[in-house]
Amino acid sequence: MEYSYELVRSKKGVPFKIFIHSVNRLKMHWHSQMEIILVLKGSINIRIGSESYLLKENDLILVNSNEVHNTSKTAEDNILIVLQVNLDHNVHYYPKFNEMIFDCKSFTCNEEEQGKFDAIRRHLAKIFWEINKKREGYQFIVGSEMNLLGSHLINNFEYSFLEDEKVEAIHKNIDRLSSIIKYIDENFEEGVTLQEVADNENLNVYYVSHFIKKNLGISFQEYINNKRLDKAVELLVNTNKTVTEIAFESGFSSTKSLNTLFNKTYNSSPSAYRKEKTNLDDISHTDIEGEKIKSKTYLDVDRTAAFTKLFKYLEMDLEMKEKKTLTLKDFISIDTNQDGIYHNFYWKKLTTFGRAAEGLRKNWQDQLKELQSQIGFEYIRFHGIFSDEMMVYNINDDGSIAYNWSYIDELFDFFKDVNIKPFIELGFMPSEIAKSDETMFWWRANISGPRDIKLWTDLIREFIRHCINRYGLKEVETWYFEVWNEPDLEHVFWIGGEEEYFKFYKETVLAIKSISREMKVGGPSVTYQVIKDGRWFEDFLTYCDRNKVPLDFVSLHIYPEDFSSKQMVQDIMVRAKAGEDILKLTSSWKDMKRIYFDENHTYDTLKSVHSKINQYLPYKPEIHITEWNSSSYGRNFIHDTCFESVFIIRNILKSIDEVNSIGYWTFTDIMEETKAGISQFHGGFGLINKDGLKKPSYFAYYLLSKLGEKIIGQGEEYIVTKNDDDVQILAYNFAYFDELFMNGDTSALTNTERYLVYEDKPPKEVGFNIIGVSGHYKVTRYKLNREHGSPFDEWVKMGAPENLTKEEIQYLKGRANPKISVEYMEIGGEYSDNLYIPVHGVELIILEKQT
């Protein structure tokens, strides 16, 4: 039987399957592979031949080749790790291995004998870890582990040999059993009898009865009842038929007999079982090969305790801290005499923050001021320009409208002071003109359209006129106006549907263009899901083209997660709108199963956007990513790690010439979509945490900002630029999420351990030779990695204290900066050197010619 629950399938050259799953009940089956089952969580019943066993947490059993067996759940949930070994491979090393029958059951041995089982547990954990991490040459590692496992079994467990005649008898029995089972399965709904089975096999009925009992471990009637039970379960879950109807349709003599067997097998009544199953989301999970799996997997139960149990055998801390062998050196040779390709630092075009009202706070303003002084972004995008807390829209006692621009002026004046322009998202709706009171976020952003479109367009015109009066027409014509936020997420960020948004967009654009045709207006600020699935985006482009509606730029949001349950997303958003406690929402969001796209998701999405624009528009508007991050979850621990810095650099460099701006969401952790994060390292979106600690993500932009304006070399994980006689070499060592994390398992990601969810890559050596540099140079080196520039890693070294004091914050600010070293030298035509870059690390060398 081929399991339908597998997450990890065997690869070419890997003679086994290893997978983690959660069982409900498996039919009796057999296979030529040896199978080792380890219970990581809960308990199961297992029957091998005529013997039945109860396996509890940490118990282990070996099922020999061609032993008929099945597993079933007890009253508690379970998680198992299963290894199936192709014995033909082992015969190359030990010719008689496929004839050996082992007695390997941990639960039959006392505590003093568990050491030999611990060795097996460690082999399983090591094999699973290596298969998941897929380091270069992992096949050799798992092959070695498999050989060591075989040697361990031979030297530590009792075994017997199958004689040739016994092997022949087993195969004969297997063939006969297969024939019997096939006949029963094809005819049980017609009420097949044991006599009919015997007649079909040309055997005595008593012999057949004994044969079935001996080889299946259950009687003919018990097997029939199990088949009926399978049929009943299928009808319970997939139809609305009554339990009585199901009982008779499944072949039971009465509802009572169905209830009796159901309670015995599932510890539940049929009605309760149906209620439980139909309340679950109908979610298809994706295995590592990309196949859809409808069965229950280990992702549906709590995994943290199970993985803690499994990986304790690996001595993970020691293993992760071992110095790894460097990869083979990459050589980069660049001639600076070439002209190079001009680029416009598009990654400095746009940064973002949560909502307008947050920008009125001193600590927020201090952070933006420092960001601008060190990096210098051109535009800043945010929510809530017209939200109630900005107090723009007011109705006097006589019913007249009074616009109050005070808070907007304060915010925009500060933008001018720090040399940044507004990229204005026109949303959300002031409650005074909203057609409904539906809101989103903790700060209650109204997501409905206006009750009268004229009230909205009057507001827009007055806002534009006020900005022109205050800052000048030429200045305002350099700003961007984005119409709304994610209107494709109906009932989450927009009430009214697709058609209503299209008309809303049209009226908004026309209102702005009526003042100046040079104003830059666009949208629709859609999610990447819309680009990937459905026709919402295409319909919008078609509407703009057919109705001659101006579209100066297209905006979209890109995150790498592919949520397996839109209904669950919807539920969490609705609960957020209702103001539910952040702790409950955080738990729900963290536990929601997410499948991550691959590391090229941002680039691939942009390519798709270009293709759709070319297909549906006769012209090419600008393209802006107005929200972008490694996760859409504002409490994801990965945001605080060094992974984030390399994720940013890799995607930004890969997307050169594909997009006009890419706005990292957000520049600061001072934001309140939900209630403010408590811990200094709560996984907030920001480049800077709430206390002003700059994360590795901040320093990614800091290093990018030091690149030259002309690209003279770019390849896998490096870029070389120049400004006149100065040269900049930036290289990095990128590792993406491992396959467990990409398939939705977050159990290895904890408050203080945040680096076990990535591919396992060694440090990287990069050699380079720069031709065409002569004279006296200042050579500055920057190193950004877990040792230099990561306040989170320094915080862990400190002891991970919560509620940091001012002294502790100041200490981390001093410790967590990229390492800088400076050297002056004479260069006579060529400059050569090596970079040694750890995983999640970045290095930058600047050759600055001195006068």
Side-chain angles (χ1 to χ4, degrees):
M1 173 181 172
E2 184 74 15
Y3 285 104
S4 59
Y5 304 94
E6 294 177 22
L7 278 178
V8 182
R9 298 187 184 276
S10 60
K11 304 287 185 181
K12 185 177 181 180
V14 181
F16 61 85
K17 294 181 182 180
I18 188 166
F19 52 93
I20 290 178
H21 72 152
S22 175
V23 303
N24 194 352
R25 191 167 71 90
L26 289 178
K27 301 173 185 177
M28 282 289 180
H29 65 286
W30 55 91
H31 40 69
S32 60
Q33 295 88 357
M34 172 195 292
E35 180 170 299
I36 298 175
I37 301 171
L38 171 61
V39 179
L40 298 177
K41 182 179 175 63
S43 59
I44 61 167
N45 293 307
I46 184 167
R47 175 178 285 166
I48 303 177
S50 59
E51 299 294 328
S52 296
Y53 308 99
L54 172 65
L55 274 65
K56 299 179 181 179
E57 189 170 303
N58 212 38
D59 284 345
L60 179 149
I61 192 168
L62 185 150
V63 182
N64 289 289
S65 172
N66 288 318
E67 286 186 327
V68 180
H69 61 286
N70 85 330
T71 56
S72 61
K73 77 186 294 284
T74 62
E76 57 184 339
D77 285 326
N78 60 78
I79 308 177
L80 317 177
I81 184 167
V82 179
L83 174 70
Q84 295 175 332
V85 184
N86 184 347
L87 298 179
D88 291 339
H89 174 79
N90 299 76
V91 169
H92 294 298
Y93 302 97
Y94 199 86
K96 285 187 169 291
F97 195 79
N98 63 344
E99 301 174 17
M100 302 173 81
I101 303 297
F102 291 95
D103 182 10
C104 178
K105 304 177 183 71
S106 68
F107 48 88
T108 63
C109 298
N110 57 37
E111 192 169 337
E112 288 74 23
E113 297 178 274
Q114 289 303 309
K116 63 183 182 181
F117 295 100
D118 282 344
I120 297 177
R121 295 178 183 113
R122 186 194 175 282
H123 284 305
L124 292 177
K126 178 69 172 174
I127 291 167
F128 189 82
W129 178 263
E130 294 294 341
I131 281 284
N132 176 51
K133 291 298 182 182
K134 287 186 173 54
R135 292 185 291 176
E136 190 68 26
Y138 75 95
Q139 296 93 337
F140 294 108
I141 299 174
V142 296
S144 175
E145 291 292 327
M146 288 298 302
N147 291 338
L148 290 172
L149 174 59
S151 173
H152 180 74
L153 289 173
I154 291 171
N155 288 287
N156 292 276
F157 292 90
E158 293 183 3
Y159 57 84
S160 58
F161 285 100
L162 282 175
E163 299 172 0
D164 290 342
E165 57 269 21
K166 287 186 178 179
V167 173
E168 185 178 347
I170 287 174
H171 286 297
K172 184 177 180 180
N173 283 347
I174 291 294
D175 291 342
R176 174 166 288 166
L177 187 60
S178 298
S179 176
I180 289 173
I181 294 302
K182 183 174 185 290
Y183 184 81
I184 295 174
D185 289 353
E186 291 175 350
N187 296 280
F188 89 95
E189 291 184 359
E190 283 73 40
V192 64
T193 65
L194 185 60
Q195 184 63 60
E196 289 171 337
V197 175
D199 291 344
N200 185 67
E201 295 292 323
N202 296 315
L203 295 171
N204 181 280
V205 68
Y206 299 105
Y207 175 84
V208 171
S209 177
H210 177 73
F211 181 85
I212 292 174
K213 179 71 174 179
K214 178 181 178 181
N215 287 279
L216 287 184
I218 56 176
S219 68
F220 168 76
Q221 191 57 51
E222 287 174 310
Y223 183 80
I224 290 293
N225 285 340
N226 282 331
K227 291 295 296 181
R228 291 170 177 165
L229 188 61
D230 289 341
K231 177 72 173 180
V233 168
E234 179 186 352
L235 294 172
L236 278 168
V237 174
N238 298 316
T239 74
N240 295 320
K241 295 180 179 180
T242 67
V243 173
T244 300
E245 289 173 327
I246 289 172
F248 287 107
E249 188 170 333
S250 303
F252 289 95
S253 58
S254 66
T255 304
K256 181 180 178 181
S257 59
L258 170 61
N259 284 330
T260 299
L261 185 58
F262 216 97
N263 272 295
K264 180 180 178 181
T265 306
Y266 293 107
N267 196 32
S268 169
S269 69
S271 298
Y273 182 90
R274 166 182 270 171
K275 184 176 181 181
E276 176 189 355
K277 293 301 177 184
T278 53
N279 282 339
L280 295 175
D281 285 338
D282 181 18
I283 300 173
S284 295
H285 299 286
T286 306
D287 73 0
I288 287 177
E289 295 297 316
E291 297 179 10
K292 292 295 181 181
I293 301 170
K294 291 291 185 181
S295 307
K296 185 178 182 183
T297 75
Y298 79 110
L299 296 177
D300 297 304
V301 290
D302 175 37
R303 290 97 58 205
T304 303
F307 276 84
T308 300
K309 176 75 70 175
L310 176 64
F311 291 128
K312 78 175 185 179
Y313 300 107
L314 285 177
E315 301 175 339
M316 293 297 298
D317 289 341
L318 178 62
E319 185 170 320
M320 289 297 107
K321 293 175 182 177
E322 288 178 351
K323 185 176 180 179
K324 296 181 175 67
T325 304
L326 287 170
T327 57
L328 292 175
K329 183 187 293 185
D330 289 336
F331 289 96
I332 303 169
S333 183
I334 302 293
D335 187 348
T336 63
N337 294 313
Q338 60 182 299
D339 289 337
I341 301 171
Y342 177 81
H343 70 97
N344 61 359
F345 289 88
Y346 84 94
W347 54 82
K348 292 174 63 176
K349 179 94 172 178
L350 181 65
T351 189
T352 70
F353 70 101
R355 74 188 198 278
E358 292 161 356
L360 304 177
R361 301 177 185 174
K362 183 181 183 304
N363 57 345
W364 183 97
Q365 292 185 357
D366 288 344
Q367 289 190 13
L368 182 61
K369 188 179 297 183
E370 186 165 13
L371 179 80
Q372 286 301 94
S373 68
Q374 290 195 329
I375 299 173
F377 288 93
E378 188 176 353
Y379 289 90
I380 190 164
R381 186 248 187 194
F382 52 94
H383 298 314
I385 187 71
F386 299 136
S387 63
D388 288 354
E389 59 189 342
M390 293 298 285
M391 301 185 183
V392 170
Y393 202 97
N394 303 277
I395 300 178
N396 296 324
D397 293 340
D398 62 1
S400 61
I401 298 171
Y403 300 109
N404 184 351
W405 310 112
S406 299
Y407 286 158
I408 290 180
D409 291 345
E410 182 180 341
L411 180 64
F412 283 13
D413 286 352
F414 177 72
F415 288 165
K416 187 175 181 181
D417 289 342
V418 297
N419 194 30
I420 199 167
K421 299 173 184 286
F423 193 116
I424 303 167
E425 174 205 297
L426 294 173
F428 291 90
M429 194 64 59
S431 61
E432 288 88 349
I433 63 173
K435 70 176 179 181
S436 74
D437 60 359
E438 296 185 66
T439 61
M440 183 58 193
F441 299 137
W442 172 81
W443 50 276
R444 303 190 67 78
N446 191 290
I447 61 173
S448 75
R451 66 175 184 270
D452 183 340
I453 191 64
K454 188 175 184 303
L455 295 173
W456 169 259
T457 54
D458 285 349
L459 168 62
I460 296 300
R461 289 189 183 92
E462 289 302 314
F463 169 61
I464 299 295
R465 291 189 183 107
H466 173 78
C467 290
I468 291 172
N469 289 337
R470 190 173 184 88
Y471 304 104
L473 175 62
K474 292 301 180 184
E475 170 64 20
V476 178
E477 285 178 344
T478 67
W479 298 357
Y480 287 86
F481 297 90
E482 181 184 38
V483 183
W484 213 255
N485 176 78
E486 298 184 358
D488 55 300
L489 292 183
E490 192 174 351
H491 302 296
V492 177
F493 290 115
W494 173 256
I495 301 297
E498 177 181 300
E499 184 178 351
E500 184 173 327
Y501 171 75
F502 292 173
K503 292 178 180 177
F504 176 79
Y505 174 82
K506 175 183 177 181
E507 294 301 324
T508 305
V509 174
L510 294 179
I512 296 173
K513 294 287 187 177
S514 69
I515 297 173
S516 170
R517 298 295 298 176
E518 301 304 314
M519 297 286 185
K520 290 182 283 190
V521 192
S525 181
V526 291
T527 62
Y528 57 95
Q529 289 101 327
V530 165
I531 307 301
K532 178 174 175 286
D533 302 309
R535 287 197 49 83
W536 202 103
F537 183 62
E538 291 91 327
D539 290 346
F540 175 74
L541 297 179
T542 301
Y543 177 87
C544 290
D545 182 41
R546 289 179 178 174
N547 294 279
K548 309 301 179 186
V549 179
L551 181 64
D552 298 319
F553 65 89
V554 166
S555 61
L556 65 148
H557 300 167
I558 302 179
Y559 299 96
E561 294 134 326
D562 183 15
F563 294 99
S564 55
S565 171
K566 287 187 178 179
Q567 184 59 44
M568 197 168 184
V569 175
Q570 179 88 0
D571 176 63
I572 290 175
M573 294 296 191
V574 169
R575 288 159 57 195
K577 288 191 284 183
E580 186 167 328
D581 183 74
I582 180 59
L583 293 178
K584 294 181 180 178
L585 288 176
T586 296
S587 176
S588 297
W589 194 268
K590 183 178 179 182
D591 291 341
M592 186 166 60
K593 312 304 178 293
R594 299 189 290 276
I595 307 298
Y596 285 82
F597 294 106
D598 67 25
E599 65 262 35
N600 295 319
H601 173 58
T602 299
Y603 179 81
D604 292 342
T605 302
L606 285 171
K607 282 295 188 183
S608 180
V609 169
H610 280 285
S611 175
K612 292 178 188 296
I613 289 175
N614 291 338
Q615 182 178 356
Y616 290 96
L617 288 181
Y619 60 95
K620 198 66 175 282
E622 294 181 13
I623 300 174
H624 296 275
I625 304 176
T626 52
E627 286 187 26
W628 174 72
N629 203 302
S630 64
S631 171
S632 60
Y633 170 46
R635 295 295 184 272
N636 196 326
F637 288 152
I638 65 175
H639 289 146
D640 299 326
T641 69
C642 282
F643 162 80
E644 199 76 4
S645 60
V646 189
F647 174 86
I648 289 169
I649 289 173
R650 180 186 186 275
N651 279 283
I652 279 177
L653 296 184
K654 190 175 181 66
S655 300
I656 290 174
D657 295 330
E658 298 297 330
V659 65
N660 295 88
S661 75
I662 182 165
Y664 184 85
W665 185 258
T666 59
F667 88 82
T668 177
D669 277 353
I670 301 173
M671 66 175 302
E672 298 159 348
E673 289 185 347
T674 54
K675 289 185 179 180
I678 297 173
S679 168
Q680 272 81 5
F681 299 99
H682 60 267
F685 290 119
L687 302 173
I688 310 172
N689 89 336
K690 63 189 182 73
D691 291 306
L693 290 168
K694 298 168 184 172
K695 303 180 190 180
S697 53
Y698 177 97
F699 292 119
Y701 281 100
Y702 179 71
L703 295 184
L704 284 170
S705 71
K706 294 182 178 295
L707 292 177
E709 63 182 14
K710 289 187 175 180
I711 300 171
I712 55 176
Q714 186 174 4
E716 188 67 26
E717 300 192 341
Y718 77 88
I719 188 170
V720 182
T721 61
K722 72 174 183 177
N723 275 335
D724 299 324
D725 293 326
D726 299 343
V727 180
Q728 305 81 28
I729 307 114
L730 185 147
Y732 56 93
N733 189 353
F734 176 72
Y736 197 52
F737 306 129
D738 68 20
E739 295 194 29
L740 276 179
F741 194 74
M742 287 183 68
N743 279 276
D745 185 86
T746 62
S747 55
L749 187 65
T750 68
N751 186 40
T752 56
E753 179 49 81
R754 306 188 185 183
Y755 289 96
L756 295 181
V757 297
Y758 304 108
E759 298 170 300
D760 196 359
K761 287 184 65 179
K764 179 178 183 178
E765 182 179 8
V766 180
F768 60 89
N769 184 50
I770 306 299
I771 303 168
V773 284
S774 297
H776 188 56
Y777 275 82
K778 176 183 179 182
V779 181
T780 306
R781 294 172 176 264
Y782 297 85
K783 292 178 181 288
L784 172 60
N785 51 51
R786 293 183 66 181
E787 297 297 322
H788 308 289
S790 175
F792 163 74
D793 287 287
E794 292 297 332
W795 174 70
V796 172
K797 292 176 187 176
M798 182 192 284
E802 295 292 354
N803 302 311
L804 293 173
T805 65
K806 288 185 178 180
E807 179 186 31
E808 291 163 346
I809 292 170
Q810 200 61 37
Y811 170 81
L812 289 177
K813 284 184 178 181
R815 291 282 300 173
N817 288 287
K819 181 180 179 180
I820 303 176
S821 61
V822 178
E823 183 180 2
Y824 291 89
M825 62 175 62
E826 289 291 332
I827 301 177
E830 293 187 13
Y831 176 76
S832 300
D833 208 338
N834 292 332
L835 298 174
Y836 301 93
I837 311 172
V839 67
H840 312 304
V842 186
E843 297 203 14
L844 171 68
I845 294 181
I846 298 178
L847 306 179
E848 186 179 359
K849 191 167 186 178
Q850 305 297 287
T851 56

